[in-house]
Amino acid sequence: MRKIILLGYMGCGKSTIADKLSKTISIRFVDLDKKIEEKTNLSINDIFKKYGEIYFRKVEREVFIELLHSPQQLIIGLGGGTPCYANNHELLKNENVVSIYLKASIETLFSRLISNRSKRPLIASKSDEEMKEFIAKHLFDRSFYYNQAQYKVSVDDKTVDQTVLDIVAILA
Ligand code: S3P
Protein backbone atom coordinates (compact mmCIF):
# COMPACT_ATOMS: atom_id res chain seq x y z
CA MET A 1 0.00 0.00 0.00
CA ARG A 2 1.13 3.51 -0.81
CA LYS A 3 3.12 5.48 1.77
CA ILE A 4 3.22 9.25 1.80
CA ILE A 5 6.49 10.36 3.38
CA LEU A 6 7.08 13.86 4.72
CA LEU A 7 10.67 14.84 5.37
CA GLY A 8 12.66 17.92 6.17
CA TYR A 9 14.79 19.63 8.79
CA MET A 10 13.77 19.84 12.48
CA GLY A 11 11.18 22.56 12.87
CA CYS A 12 9.94 22.55 9.26
CA GLY A 13 6.50 21.48 10.49
CA LYS A 14 6.43 17.80 9.49
CA SER A 15 4.18 16.63 12.35
CA THR A 16 1.73 19.54 12.27
CA ILE A 17 1.40 19.35 8.50
CA ALA A 18 1.12 15.55 8.50
CA ASP A 19 -1.57 15.73 11.15
CA LYS A 20 -3.67 18.17 9.13
CA LEU A 21 -3.03 16.24 5.91
CA SER A 22 -4.14 13.06 7.64
CA LYS A 23 -7.47 14.63 8.58
CA THR A 24 -7.90 16.13 5.12
CA ILE A 25 -7.34 12.96 3.10
CA SER A 26 -8.36 10.41 5.77
CA ILE A 27 -5.13 8.46 5.77
CA ARG A 28 -3.49 7.52 9.07
CA PHE A 29 -0.41 9.50 10.12
CA VAL A 30 2.47 7.81 11.92
CA ASP A 31 5.27 9.89 13.37
CA LEU A 32 8.54 7.93 13.15
CA ASP A 33 10.01 9.47 16.33
CA LYS A 34 6.86 8.60 18.29
CA LYS A 35 6.95 5.05 16.96
CA ILE A 36 10.60 4.76 18.05
CA GLU A 37 9.66 6.05 21.53
CA GLU A 38 6.84 3.51 21.77
CA LYS A 39 9.06 0.63 20.65
CA THR A 40 11.95 1.43 22.96
CA ASN A 41 9.87 2.78 25.83
CA LEU A 42 12.29 5.70 25.95
CA SER A 43 12.12 9.34 24.88
CA ILE A 44 14.33 10.37 21.94
CA ASN A 45 16.38 12.40 24.44
CA ASP A 46 16.91 9.32 26.63
CA ILE A 47 17.88 7.11 23.68
CA PHE A 48 20.59 9.63 22.74
CA LYS A 49 21.73 9.98 26.37
CA LYS A 50 21.78 6.29 27.27
CA TYR A 51 22.80 4.63 24.01
CA GLY A 52 24.13 7.39 21.75
CA GLU A 53 23.25 8.61 18.28
CA ILE A 54 24.56 5.56 16.38
CA TYR A 55 22.16 3.30 18.24
CA PHE A 56 19.33 5.77 17.59
CA ARG A 57 20.08 5.74 13.84
CA LYS A 58 19.99 1.92 13.82
CA VAL A 59 16.58 1.78 15.51
CA GLU A 60 15.36 4.66 13.32
CA ARG A 61 16.14 2.69 10.14
CA GLU A 62 14.57 -0.52 11.47
CA VAL A 63 11.34 1.21 12.46
CA PHE A 64 11.23 3.15 9.17
CA ILE A 65 11.53 -0.09 7.17
CA GLU A 66 8.87 -1.73 9.32
CA LEU A 67 6.48 1.11 8.57
CA LEU A 68 7.25 0.90 4.85
CA HIS A 69 6.30 -2.78 4.95
CA SER A 70 3.03 -2.14 6.75
CA PRO A 71 0.01 -3.37 4.75
CA GLN A 72 -1.79 -0.09 5.47
CA GLN A 73 -1.77 3.10 3.50
CA LEU A 74 0.08 5.60 5.73
CA ILE A 75 1.43 9.10 6.00
CA ILE A 76 4.88 8.78 7.62
CA GLY A 77 6.54 11.81 9.21
CA LEU A 78 10.29 11.18 9.35
CA GLY A 79 12.76 12.61 11.84
CA GLY A 80 14.92 15.42 10.49
CA GLY A 81 17.93 13.12 10.13
CA THR A 82 16.21 9.97 8.82
CA PRO A 83 17.00 10.40 5.09
CA CYS A 84 20.62 11.31 5.86
CA TYR A 85 21.79 8.03 7.43
CA ALA A 86 22.26 4.38 6.44
CA ASN A 87 21.18 4.97 2.83
CA ASN A 88 17.63 5.67 3.99
CA HIS A 89 17.39 8.20 1.17
CA GLU A 90 17.26 5.26 -1.27
CA LEU A 91 13.97 4.24 0.33
CA LEU A 92 12.41 7.56 -0.69
CA LYS A 93 12.33 6.39 -4.29
CA ASN A 94 10.52 3.09 -3.76
CA GLU A 95 7.63 2.27 -6.07
CA ASN A 96 4.88 2.60 -3.50
CA VAL A 97 6.25 5.76 -1.98
CA VAL A 98 5.45 9.43 -2.51
CA SER A 99 8.18 11.41 -0.77
CA ILE A 100 7.81 15.12 -0.12
CA TYR A 101 10.52 17.45 1.18
CA LEU A 102 9.10 20.29 3.27
CA LYS A 103 11.63 22.95 2.50
CA ALA A 104 12.20 25.80 4.96
CA SER A 105 14.75 28.61 5.04
CA ILE A 106 17.33 28.95 7.83
CA GLU A 107 15.36 31.96 9.17
CA THR A 108 12.08 30.01 9.32
CA LEU A 109 13.76 27.05 11.02
CA PHE A 110 15.61 29.27 13.50
CA SER A 111 12.49 31.16 14.50
CA ARG A 112 10.55 27.93 15.02
CA LEU A 113 13.29 26.08 16.87
CA ILE A 114 14.35 28.92 19.16
CA SER A 115 11.55 28.18 21.64
CA ASN A 116 11.33 24.53 20.84
CA ARG A 117 14.69 22.87 21.23
CA SER A 118 14.58 21.02 24.57
CA LYS A 119 13.28 17.75 23.14
CA ARG A 120 15.83 17.81 20.35
CA PRO A 121 19.16 16.43 21.58
CA LEU A 122 21.17 17.80 18.65
CA ILE A 123 20.37 21.42 19.54
CA ALA A 124 19.11 21.31 23.15
CA SER A 125 22.29 22.69 24.70
CA LYS A 126 23.15 25.32 22.09
CA SER A 127 22.92 29.07 22.59
CA ASP A 128 20.82 31.08 20.10
CA GLU A 129 23.89 32.11 18.17
CA GLU A 130 25.39 28.62 18.11
CA MET A 131 22.05 27.23 16.99
CA LYS A 132 21.76 29.58 14.03
CA GLU A 133 25.24 28.63 12.85
CA PHE A 134 24.53 24.96 13.43
CA ILE A 135 21.28 25.05 11.43
CA ALA A 136 22.95 26.82 8.50
CA LYS A 137 25.78 24.30 8.25
CA HIS A 138 23.69 21.24 9.03
CA LEU A 139 20.99 22.15 6.51
CA PHE A 140 23.66 22.60 3.86
CA ASP A 141 25.14 19.16 4.70
CA ARG A 142 21.75 17.50 4.63
CA SER A 143 20.31 19.17 1.54
CA PHE A 144 21.69 16.50 -0.76
CA TYR A 145 19.62 13.86 1.03
CA TYR A 146 16.49 15.98 1.34
CA ASN A 147 16.65 16.69 -2.37
CA GLN A 148 16.32 12.97 -3.12
CA ALA A 149 12.61 13.32 -2.33
CA GLN A 150 10.31 13.05 -5.32
CA TYR A 151 8.60 16.38 -4.57
CA LYS A 152 9.50 19.61 -2.81
CA VAL A 153 7.09 21.97 -1.09
CA SER A 154 8.25 25.28 0.32
CA VAL A 155 6.78 26.07 3.74
CA ASP A 156 8.18 29.59 4.17
CA ASP A 157 5.49 32.22 4.82
CA LYS A 158 2.70 29.68 4.37
CA THR A 159 0.01 28.53 6.76
CA VAL A 160 -0.35 24.83 7.53
CA ASP A 161 -3.57 24.81 5.47
CA GLN A 162 -1.80 26.28 2.43
CA THR A 163 0.98 23.71 2.64
CA VAL A 164 -1.55 20.90 2.99
CA LEU A 165 -3.33 22.15 -0.15
CA ASP A 166 0.00 22.06 -2.02
CA ILE A 167 0.50 18.46 -0.91
CA VAL A 168 -3.05 17.45 -1.84
CA ALA A 169 -2.41 18.84 -5.34
CA ILE A 170 0.73 16.70 -5.63
CA LEU A 171 -1.17 13.60 -4.56
CA ALA A 172 -4.09 14.19 -6.94
C1 S3P B 1 16.77 14.63 14.45
C2 S3P B 1 15.50 15.13 14.39
C3 S3P B 1 14.45 14.76 15.37
C4 S3P B 1 14.74 13.39 16.00
C5 S3P B 1 16.12 13.37 16.55
C6 S3P B 1 17.20 13.63 15.49
C7 S3P B 1 17.76 15.05 13.44
O1 S3P B 1 13.18 14.75 14.72
O2 S3P B 1 14.56 12.36 15.06
O3 S3P B 1 16.19 14.31 17.58
O4 S3P B 1 18.80 14.38 13.28
O5 S3P B 1 17.50 16.08 12.75
P1 S3P B 1 12.35 16.10 14.31
O6 S3P B 1 12.84 16.51 12.95
O7 S3P B 1 10.95 15.63 14.27
O8 S3P B 1 12.61 17.11 15.36
Side-chain angles (χ1 to χ4, degrees):
M1 279 293 226
R2 184 163 82 147
K3 307 291 182 289
I4 299 160
I5 299 181
L6 301 188
L7 59 126
Y9 201 76
M10 296 178 273
C12 71
K14 295 180 293 281
S15 304
T16 317
I17 292 163
D19 209 39
K20 179 80 196 191
L21 178 67
S22 166
K23 288 177 183 127
T24 308
I25 60 175
S26 303
I27 296 176
R28 195 176 144 221
F29 160 46
V30 183
D31 181 277
L32 182 60
D33 278 342
K34 283 211 183 110
K35 204 78 192 166
I36 294 169
E37 293 185 328
E38 276 167 30
K39 283 239 158 196
T40 56
N41 246 322
L42 290 167
S43 68
I44 300 296
N45 259 338
D46 283 343
I47 302 175
F48 270 71
K49 261 190 233 151
K50 289 193 178 169
Y51 301 107
E53 185 174 353
I54 293 173
Y55 175 77
F56 170 77
R57 296 302 172 193
K58 185 172 163 279
V59 179
E60 182 180 47
R61 177 171 170 85
E62 280 166 13
V63 179
F64 181 29
I65 290 175
E66 243 172 64
L67 288 176
L68 286 175
H69 288 152
S70 146
Q72 273 181 302
Q73 201 174 5
L74 291 177
I75 298 168
I76 306 173
L78 299 186
T82 317
C84 316
Y85 292 88
N87 283 329
N88 288 340
H89 66 283
E90 300 289 354
L91 303 171
L92 303 177
K93 298 172 198 156
N94 280 3
E95 218 176 290
N96 291 323
V97 157
V98 182
S99 50
I100 303 169
Y101 169 28
L102 302 177
K103 191 170 182 200
S105 67
I106 298 165
E107 285 67 32
T108 300
L109 295 170
F110 180 70
S111 67
R112 289 185 186 174
L113 287 169
I114 199 159
S115 56
N116 219 333
R117 71 190 104 167
S118 64
K119 286 188 185 153
R120 294 177 160 112
L122 295 178
I123 50 172
S125 61
K126 299 205 184 301
S127 68
D128 290 358
E129 208 167 303
E130 283 169 343
M131 194 171 80
K132 190 149 197 187
E133 230 182 275
F134 178 82
I135 294 170
K137 186 179 174 302
H138 209 203
L139 185 62
F140 179 79
D141 291 343
R142 287 182 165 185
S143 290
F144 167 80
Y145 299 99
Y146 293 155
N147 282 311
Q148 306 296 313
Q150 295 158 351
Y151 299 95
K152 251 174 266 176
V153 170
S154 167
V155 300
D156 291 328
D157 306 316
K158 275 191 203 157
T159 62
V160 171
D161 286 357
Q162 283 169 325
T163 306
V164 167
L165 282 180
D166 288 349
I167 298 173
V168 170
I170 286 170
L171 298 174

